[in-house]
Tab-separated table of all heavy atoms in Angstrom:
chain	number	residue	atom	x	y	z
A	1	PRO	N	-1.035	0.587	-32.954
A	1	PRO	CA	-1.479	-0.140	-34.075
A	1	PRO	C	-2.992	-0.087	-34.379
A	1	PRO	O	-3.462	-0.141	-35.495
A	1	PRO	CB	-1.102	-1.626	-33.822
A	1	PRO	CG	-0.051	-1.590	-32.837
A	1	PRO	CD	-0.287	-0.281	-32.053
A	2	ASN	N	-3.833	0.140	-33.326
A	2	ASN	CA	-5.276	0.234	-33.537
A	2	ASN	C	-5.701	1.671	-33.835
A	2	ASN	O	-6.905	1.955	-33.764
A	2	ASN	CB	-5.990	-0.291	-32.348
A	2	ASN	CG	-5.753	0.391	-31.052
A	2	ASN	OD1	-4.920	1.342	-31.052
A	2	ASN	ND2	-6.228	-0.046	-29.958
A	3	ARG	N	-4.698	2.485	-34.150
A	3	ARG	CA	-4.929	3.923	-34.574
A	3	ARG	C	-5.488	4.831	-33.453
A	3	ARG	O	-5.969	5.897	-33.662
A	3	ARG	CB	-5.881	4.036	-35.732
A	3	ARG	CG	-5.358	3.423	-36.999
A	3	ARG	CD	-4.265	4.282	-37.489
A	3	ARG	NE	-3.874	3.979	-38.874
A	3	ARG	CZ	-2.706	4.319	-39.324
A	3	ARG	NH1	-1.844	4.867	-38.579
A	3	ARG	NH2	-2.418	4.057	-40.598
A	4	ILE	N	-5.402	4.340	-32.154
A	4	ILE	CA	-5.749	5.232	-31.091
A	4	ILE	C	-4.449	5.902	-30.560
A	4	ILE	O	-3.523	5.125	-30.307
A	4	ILE	CB	-6.461	4.429	-29.988
A	4	ILE	CG1	-7.745	3.759	-30.480
A	4	ILE	CG2	-6.745	5.222	-28.742
A	4	ILE	CD1	-8.374	2.861	-29.520
A	5	PRO	N	-4.469	7.175	-30.371
A	5	PRO	CA	-3.255	7.809	-29.891
A	5	PRO	C	-2.926	7.315	-28.479
A	5	PRO	O	-3.806	6.932	-27.715
A	5	PRO	CB	-3.562	9.294	-29.852
A	5	PRO	CG	-4.860	9.483	-30.602
A	5	PRO	CD	-5.551	8.174	-30.629
A	6	PRO	N	-1.593	7.278	-28.162
A	6	PRO	CA	-1.235	6.817	-26.829
A	6	PRO	C	-1.760	7.791	-25.754
A	6	PRO	O	-1.941	9.001	-26.003
A	6	PRO	CB	0.249	6.784	-26.857
A	6	PRO	CG	0.608	7.804	-27.905
A	6	PRO	CD	-0.461	7.709	-28.939
A	7	SER	N	-2.022	7.292	-24.592
A	7	SER	CA	-2.451	8.145	-23.473
A	7	SER	C	-1.296	8.917	-22.960
A	7	SER	O	-0.271	8.409	-22.591
A	7	SER	CB	-3.117	7.391	-22.400
A	7	SER	OG	-2.248	6.404	-21.830
A	8	LEU	N	-1.425	10.207	-22.996
A	8	LEU	CA	-0.333	11.104	-22.498
A	8	LEU	C	-0.716	11.653	-21.151
A	8	LEU	O	-1.919	11.788	-20.865
A	8	LEU	CB	-0.154	12.254	-23.547
A	8	LEU	CG	0.288	11.850	-24.951
A	8	LEU	CD1	0.288	13.051	-25.868
A	8	LEU	CD2	1.657	11.148	-24.921
A	9	PRO	N	0.283	11.986	-20.330
A	9	PRO	CA	-0.079	12.548	-19.014
A	9	PRO	C	-0.736	13.925	-19.145
A	9	PRO	O	-0.544	14.643	-20.099
A	9	PRO	CB	1.285	12.683	-18.309
A	9	PRO	CG	2.292	12.613	-19.411
A	9	PRO	CD	1.723	11.857	-20.532
A	10	SER	N	-1.528	14.236	-18.194
A	10	SER	CA	-2.238	15.515	-18.171
A	10	SER	C	-1.247	16.610	-18.124
A	10	SER	O	-0.252	16.507	-17.411
A	10	SER	CB	-3.193	15.614	-16.981
A	10	SER	OG	-4.119	14.548	-17.079
A	11	THR	N	-1.525	17.745	-18.703
A	11	THR	CA	-0.581	18.878	-18.735
A	11	THR	C	-1.302	20.121	-18.248
A	11	THR	O	-2.554	20.223	-18.296
A	11	THR	CB	-0.063	19.159	-20.141
A	11	THR	OG1	-1.114	19.403	-21.009
A	11	THR	CG2	0.749	17.959	-20.666
A	12	ASP	N	-0.493	21.070	-17.783
A	12	ASP	CA	-1.089	22.333	-17.312
A	12	ASP	C	-1.166	23.268	-18.566
A	12	ASP	O	-0.957	22.871	-19.721
A	12	ASP	CB	-0.229	23.052	-16.235
A	12	ASP	CG	1.209	23.276	-16.683
A	12	ASP	OD1	1.499	23.129	-17.895
A	12	ASP	OD2	1.999	23.691	-15.828
A	13	LYS	N	-1.594	24.512	-18.314
A	13	LYS	CA	-1.824	25.396	-19.481
A	13	LYS	C	-0.560	25.792	-20.219
A	13	LYS	O	-0.629	26.326	-21.332
A	13	LYS	CB	-2.539	26.665	-18.992
A	13	LYS	CG	-1.744	27.510	-18.048
A	13	LYS	CD	-2.590	28.734	-17.591
A	13	LYS	CE	-1.848	29.599	-16.614
A	13	LYS	NZ	-2.648	30.784	-16.220
A	14	TYR	N	0.620	25.510	-19.623
A	14	TYR	CA	1.868	25.743	-20.344
A	14	TYR	C	2.414	24.516	-21.047
A	14	TYR	O	3.486	24.557	-21.628
A	14	TYR	CB	2.891	26.294	-19.366
A	14	TYR	CG	2.434	27.584	-18.628
A	14	TYR	CD1	2.061	27.540	-17.325
A	14	TYR	CD2	2.376	28.733	-19.332
A	14	TYR	CE1	1.660	28.701	-16.695
A	14	TYR	CE2	1.940	29.909	-18.728
A	14	TYR	CZ	1.588	29.865	-17.411
A	14	TYR	OH	1.141	31.008	-16.772
A	15	GLY	N	1.750	23.395	-20.951
A	15	GLY	CA	2.182	22.170	-21.564
A	15	GLY	C	3.104	21.331	-20.747
A	15	GLY	O	3.574	20.286	-21.229
A	16	ASP	N	3.349	21.701	-19.482
A	16	ASP	CA	4.182	20.929	-18.595
A	16	ASP	C	3.351	19.808	-17.993
A	16	ASP	O	2.163	19.974	-17.660
A	16	ASP	CB	4.753	21.751	-17.484
A	16	ASP	CG	5.705	22.826	-18.003
A	16	ASP	OD1	6.415	22.532	-19.002
A	16	ASP	OD2	5.716	23.975	-17.459
A	17	PRO	N	3.920	18.581	-17.790
A	17	PRO	CA	3.137	17.513	-17.184
A	17	PRO	C	2.799	17.812	-15.782
A	17	PRO	O	3.565	18.383	-15.020
A	17	PRO	CB	4.015	16.284	-17.342
A	17	PRO	CG	5.396	16.845	-17.548
A	17	PRO	CD	5.259	18.161	-18.156
A	18	LEU	N	1.519	17.429	-15.378
A	18	LEU	CA	1.137	17.609	-14.017
A	18	LEU	C	1.700	16.489	-13.155
A	18	LEU	O	1.901	15.367	-13.679
A	18	LEU	CB	-0.407	17.626	-13.930
A	18	LEU	CG	-1.136	18.771	-14.610
A	18	LEU	CD1	-2.587	18.616	-14.589
A	18	LEU	CD2	-0.808	20.085	-13.912
A	19	PRO	N	1.889	16.695	-11.907
A	19	PRO	CA	2.388	15.607	-11.041
A	19	PRO	C	1.379	14.483	-10.961
A	19	PRO	O	0.151	14.714	-10.923
A	19	PRO	CB	2.558	16.289	-9.654
A	19	PRO	CG	1.961	17.618	-9.715
A	19	PRO	CD	1.672	17.962	-11.198
A	20	GLN	N	1.826	13.242	-11.017
A	20	GLN	CA	0.978	12.092	-10.946
A	20	GLN	C	0.958	11.494	-9.564
A	20	GLN	O	2.033	11.416	-8.907
A	20	GLN	CB	1.470	11.064	-11.955
A	20	GLN	CG	1.570	11.464	-13.384
A	20	GLN	CD	0.195	11.852	-13.910
A	20	GLN	OE1	-0.738	11.093	-13.826
A	20	GLN	NE2	0.080	13.043	-14.539
A	21	LEU	N	-0.211	11.159	-9.036
A	21	LEU	CA	-0.300	10.594	-7.736
A	21	LEU	C	0.070	9.137	-7.742
A	21	LEU	O	-0.041	8.485	-8.777
A	21	LEU	CB	-1.779	10.689	-7.219
A	21	LEU	CG	-2.299	12.098	-7.025
A	21	LEU	CD1	-3.742	12.029	-6.630
A	21	LEU	CD2	-1.485	12.819	-6.018
A	22	LEU	N	0.662	8.650	-6.693
A	22	LEU	CA	0.968	7.184	-6.527
A	22	LEU	C	-0.276	6.418	-6.368
A	22	LEU	O	-1.259	6.862	-5.772
A	22	LEU	CB	1.943	7.026	-5.407
A	22	LEU	CG	3.295	7.827	-5.431
A	22	LEU	CD1	3.998	7.618	-4.148
A	22	LEU	CD2	4.098	7.273	-6.588
A	23	SER	N	-0.232	5.207	-6.891
A	23	SER	CA	-1.406	4.336	-6.736
A	23	SER	C	-1.585	3.953	-5.264
A	23	SER	O	-2.677	3.787	-4.829
A	23	SER	CB	-1.266	3.105	-7.602
A	23	SER	OG	-0.078	2.392	-7.306
A	24	GLU	N	-0.526	3.788	-4.511
A	24	GLU	CA	-0.576	3.619	-3.093
A	24	GLU	C	0.570	4.330	-2.449
A	24	GLU	O	1.633	4.486	-2.971
A	24	GLU	CB	-0.573	2.103	-2.772
A	24	GLU	CG	0.748	1.354	-2.885
A	24	GLU	CD	0.632	-0.082	-2.533
A	24	GLU	OE1	-0.205	-0.771	-3.103
A	24	GLU	OE2	1.318	-0.520	-1.564
A	25	PRO	N	0.316	4.873	-1.247
A	25	PRO	CA	1.336	5.665	-0.564
A	25	PRO	C	2.595	4.892	-0.202
A	25	PRO	O	2.541	3.653	0.001
A	25	PRO	CB	0.638	6.241	0.674
A	25	PRO	CG	-0.511	5.316	0.881
A	25	PRO	CD	-0.852	4.754	-0.383
A	26	ARG	N	3.656	5.587	-0.208
A	26	ARG	CA	4.937	4.951	0.234
A	26	ARG	C	5.048	4.920	1.761
A	26	ARG	O	4.505	5.879	2.412
A	26	ARG	CB	6.120	5.777	-0.326
A	26	ARG	CG	6.198	5.722	-1.811
A	26	ARG	CD	7.377	6.540	-2.279
A	26	ARG	NE	7.338	6.709	-3.710
A	26	ARG	CZ	8.097	7.589	-4.348
A	26	ARG	NH1	8.871	8.398	-3.706
A	26	ARG	NH2	7.967	7.670	-5.686
A	27	SER	N	5.737	3.999	2.280
A	27	SER	CA	5.858	3.959	3.698
A	27	SER	C	7.235	3.354	4.062
A	27	SER	O	7.852	2.659	3.229
A	27	SER	CB	4.842	3.065	4.407
A	27	SER	OG	4.900	1.748	4.012
A	28	CYS	N	7.709	3.650	5.246
A	28	CYS	CA	8.984	3.140	5.748
A	28	CYS	C	8.899	3.007	7.221
A	28	CYS	O	7.994	3.559	7.877
A	28	CYS	CB	10.168	3.963	5.320
A	28	CYS	SG	10.121	5.675	5.926
A	29	GLU	N	9.883	2.325	7.792
A	29	GLU	CA	9.866	2.070	9.179
A	29	GLU	C	10.401	3.339	9.935
A	29	GLU	O	11.054	4.212	9.333
A	29	GLU	CB	10.768	0.908	9.541
A	29	GLU	CG	10.217	-0.369	8.955
A	29	GLU	CD	11.141	-1.580	9.246
A	29	GLU	OE1	12.109	-1.416	9.981
A	29	GLU	OE2	10.872	-2.646	8.780
A	30	ALA	N	10.144	3.401	11.164
A	30	ALA	CA	10.590	4.591	11.970
A	30	ALA	C	12.088	4.589	12.111
A	30	ALA	O	12.683	5.645	12.226
A	30	ALA	CB	9.957	4.537	13.410
A	31	ALA	N	12.692	3.459	11.963
A	31	ALA	CA	14.197	3.398	12.009
A	31	ALA	C	14.788	4.151	10.842
A	31	ALA	O	15.968	4.637	11.005
A	31	ALA	CB	14.640	1.972	11.993
A	32	ALA	N	14.093	4.316	9.754
A	32	ALA	CA	14.632	5.091	8.665
A	32	ALA	C	14.809	6.561	9.035
A	32	ALA	O	15.807	7.208	8.611
A	32	ALA	CB	13.751	4.969	7.438
A	33	GLY	N	13.908	7.100	9.801
A	33	GLY	CA	14.033	8.470	10.291
A	33	GLY	C	15.176	8.632	11.230
A	33	GLY	O	15.934	9.656	11.179
A	34	ILE	N	15.424	7.678	12.109
A	34	ILE	CA	16.543	7.701	13.058
A	34	ILE	C	17.885	7.630	12.240
A	34	ILE	O	18.820	8.360	12.524
A	34	ILE	CB	16.458	6.500	14.047
A	34	ILE	CG1	15.208	6.587	14.848
A	34	ILE	CG2	17.667	6.494	14.928
A	34	ILE	CD1	15.109	7.853	15.768
A	35	SER	N	17.863	6.812	11.179
A	35	SER	CA	19.069	6.667	10.380
A	35	SER	C	19.359	7.933	9.651
A	35	SER	O	20.509	8.378	9.508
A	35	SER	CB	18.837	5.561	9.336
A	35	SER	OG	19.892	5.514	8.360
A	36	TRP	N	18.267	8.604	9.145
A	36	TRP	CA	18.417	9.905	8.480
A	36	TRP	C	19.099	10.970	9.424
A	36	TRP	O	19.994	11.677	9.029
A	36	TRP	CB	17.072	10.337	7.943
A	36	TRP	CG	17.096	11.627	7.233
A	36	TRP	CD1	17.589	11.881	5.956
A	36	TRP	CD2	16.557	12.874	7.653
A	36	TRP	NE1	17.411	13.189	5.624
A	36	TRP	CE2	16.789	13.829	6.593
A	36	TRP	CE3	15.958	13.303	8.855
A	36	TRP	CZ2	16.339	15.107	6.797
A	36	TRP	CZ3	15.526	14.561	8.937
A	36	TRP	CH2	15.735	15.510	7.941
A	37	LEU	N	18.599	11.021	10.638
A	37	LEU	CA	19.098	11.945	11.638
A	37	LEU	C	20.536	11.606	12.001
A	37	LEU	O	21.389	12.550	12.202
A	37	LEU	CB	18.227	11.990	12.907
A	37	LEU	CG	16.832	12.628	12.683
A	37	LEU	CD1	15.958	12.420	13.948
A	37	LEU	CD2	17.003	14.047	12.387
A	38	THR	N	20.821	10.363	12.115
A	38	THR	CA	22.222	9.975	12.445
A	38	THR	C	23.229	10.306	11.344
A	38	THR	O	24.342	10.813	11.636
A	38	THR	CB	22.224	8.419	12.680
A	38	THR	OG1	21.290	8.086	13.618
A	38	THR	CG2	23.621	7.985	13.145
A	39	LYS	N	22.753	10.125	10.078
A	39	LYS	CA	23.628	10.543	8.962
A	39	LYS	C	23.870	12.056	8.931
A	39	LYS	O	24.949	12.523	8.598
A	39	LYS	CB	23.044	10.133	7.591
A	39	LYS	CG	23.128	8.581	7.424
A	39	LYS	CD	22.463	8.187	6.124
A	39	LYS	CE	22.407	6.691	5.935
A	39	LYS	NZ	21.676	6.271	4.752
A	40	ALA	N	22.783	12.813	9.242
A	40	ALA	CA	22.936	14.297	9.231
A	40	ALA	C	23.884	14.714	10.338
A	40	ALA	O	24.719	15.592	10.110
A	40	ALA	CB	21.563	14.893	9.433
A	41	ALA	N	23.832	14.085	11.508
A	41	ALA	CA	24.762	14.419	12.607
A	41	ALA	C	26.168	14.100	12.221
A	41	ALA	O	27.057	14.824	12.550
A	41	ALA	CB	24.318	13.678	13.873
């Protein structure tokens, strides 16, 4: 409404959106890795 275009994500030279960084890193407990290996087995 204030006539300012919306902020669009940055793009590369081909017009594809660049990957956006997370504001804070994701984390999980070590048990998640054990669960992943158990499911794979």
Side-chain angles (χ1 to χ4, degrees):
N2 59 3
R3 295 290 195 203
I4 298 173
S7 61
L8 299 174
S10 303
T11 58
D12 61 7
K13 64 182 180 180
Y14 301 108
D16 297 325
L18 293 173
Q20 302 296 312
L21 297 176
L22 299 174
S23 58
E24 73 179 59
R26 297 179 188 164
S27 64
C28 62
E29 298 178 4
I34 301 293
S35 171
W36 180 73
L37 291 172
T38 307
K39 287 179 185 175

